[in-house]
Amino acid sequence: QVQLVESGGGLVQAGGSLRLSCAASGRYAMGWFRQAPGKEREFVAAVSRTGYSTYYADSVKGRCTIARDNAKNTVYLQMNSLKPEDTAVYYCAASWGPASVKESAYDYWGQGTQVTVSP
């Protein structure tokens, strides 16, 4: 059974930073998605199993960095210059296949961590 445990969410003022972590029970291609109230879940960032390839949504490009520590089977999402519109529940996801921007490519999902950005 694959387990994904997210941490690092919280309340931050606009312009601030947060680092989300996702500890996995193995090595997979990983992605971060988010879902704001009343909206569909959307892609944020993804990283390949090796960490050599990364992908970002246009809305976070330049403000977020996805990285992984394969010794710890942990993926991080560093988020800087946060905006109120970044407020959402953030989910990490694991894929047996290649990293992808599509939800359907992921086989396992974490429970989500809340990120709230105040104006």
Side-chain angles (χ1 to χ4, degrees), residues 27-30 47-54 67-70 97 99:
R27 188 177 299 183
Y28 311 93
M30 300 292 291
V47 61
S48 63
R49 190 175 287 109
T50 61
Y52 292 153
S53 298
T54 57
R68 64 188 304 152
D69 181 341
N70 283 339

Side-chain angles (χ1 to χ4, degrees), residues 21-42:
S21 300
C22 177
S25 55
R27 188 177 299 183
Y28 311 93
M30 300 292 291
W32 285 98
F33 292 77
R34 67 186 182 186
Q35 187 168 22
K39 295 187 177 181
E40 293 186 352
R41 190 156 56 185
E42 63 177 4

